[in-house]
Amino acid sequence: MAAELPSGKNIFVVWAPDSDAPGTLEQRMKVAPAHGAKLGADPSNRVAGPLFTPESLTGGGTKIYGSLFLLEAATLEEVKEKVEQDLYWTSGVWDKSKLTILPFLQRSGSVKLV
């Protein structure tokens, strides 16, 4: 059974795993303040933050795995454009071959379109 997405603004989930190239964590930390400031000032940003490995919760050392965020936009192309302008994209923090953008139909919770 197919779900019907609303017309107009939609929410998109962006899953952006970090690159496994040497120096990725250092690059992430270097550009994190500017990345966060720009994303925080973007009115289309609904939720954003880093993802951690499961071992980070059990004393295995805190390790960032990537980023997850929800963006409000009319089209997938609009989201792709925002992602490709992000500092984590342009500075090589994210693994571009694994980054995934999917439309999200909210059924419950507090993330609301404005």
Side-chain angles (χ1 to χ4, degrees), residues 11-14 39-40 42-50 67-72 104 106 110-112:
I11 294 179
F12 292 85
V13 176
V14 179
L39 195 56
D42 183 347
S44 71
N45 174 35
R46 295 290 164 255
V47 175
S67 303
L68 178 81
F69 46 104
L70 304 180
L71 293 177
E72 180 180 338
F104 173 70
Q106 182 180 346
S110 61
V111 178
K112 300 290 184 193

Side-chain angles (χ1 to χ4, degrees), residues 5-12 71-75 79 103-105 113:
L5 292 173
S7 60
K9 294 284 186 172
N10 295 292
I11 294 179
F12 292 85
L71 293 177
E72 180 180 338
T75 66
V79 177
F104 173 70
L105 181 59
L113 294 170

Side-chain angles (χ1 to χ4, degrees), residues 62-103:
T62 303
K63 183 173 185 298
I64 298 174
Y65 185 74
S67 303
L68 178 81
F69 46 104
L70 304 180
L71 293 177
E72 180 180 338
T75 66
L76 179 65
E77 290 72 29
E78 184 181 337
V79 177
K80 285 180 180 178
E81 185 176 304
K82 285 180 181 281
V83 166
E84 290 174 358
Q85 293 172 1
D86 191 285
L87 282 172
Y88 284 172
W89 175 277
T90 60
S91 67
V93 171
W94 291 330
D95 184 335
K96 295 174 184 176
S97 69
K98 294 181 181 173
L99 190 136
T100 304
I101 303 170
L102 297 169

